[in-house]
Amino acid sequence: MASAFDIDHVLANARQAAGLDDFGELPFLEPLEKLLQFAGEDLEFSDNGLLAFQSNLQRWLSNRLRYVNDVKKHPDILEEDVSDPIIVIGMPRSGTTNMQRVLSAAPDSLGLPLWM
């Protein structure tokens, strides 16, 4: 279980899952290491809770790998105007998913799946 909180192990799992290895700039490593240290020392996970924690970390890190890869391939992505995004936030089970889906149904909008 100690490897679940080892930063090198977590990064290696994400690299393997994404099939990529470049995280780009690395300012996120220190906060990630602190999160892993805190989770390993101060939290008591159930088996399912630990799996969910590991899964979320792998998803977030894999998404970063994919993002860096996409920007390398298509640097014009950074030129896109996203000055007026609509961001839906709220408490769980409060209807935010339904609201996001309704807003995404407009023909001139782009709804992003969770993984994006």
Side-chain angles (χ1 to χ4, degrees), residues 3-4 6-23 28-29 32 36 54 57-58 61-62 65:
S3 64
D6 175 69
I7 194 164
D8 293 327
H9 180 77
V10 169
L11 295 173
N13 282 345
R15 286 182 175 113
Q16 182 179 6
L20 300 166
D21 62 2
D22 184 6
F23 283 101
F28 69 93
L29 286 183
L32 175 61
L36 292 171
Q54 291 172 310
L57 284 175
Q58 182 175 315
L61 291 169
S62 295
L65 287 163

Side-chain angles (χ1 to χ4, degrees), residues 37-85:
Q37 180 183 357
F38 169 76
E41 293 173 1
D42 297 340
L43 298 179
E44 294 181 24
F45 287 102
S46 67
D47 290 342
N48 287 338
L50 180 59
L51 287 174
F53 179 75
Q54 291 172 310
S55 176
N56 280 329
L57 284 175
Q58 182 175 315
R59 179 171 47 89
W60 296 330
L61 291 169
S62 295
N63 284 346
R64 180 178 179 91
L65 287 163
R66 289 183 190 105
Y67 167 78
V68 169
N69 187 57
D70 287 347
V71 169
K72 276 189 202 174
K73 288 181 179 177
H74 309 282
D76 53 308
I77 290 172
L78 299 176
E79 304 297 322
E80 290 289 325
D81 178 19
V82 290
S83 59
D84 295 324

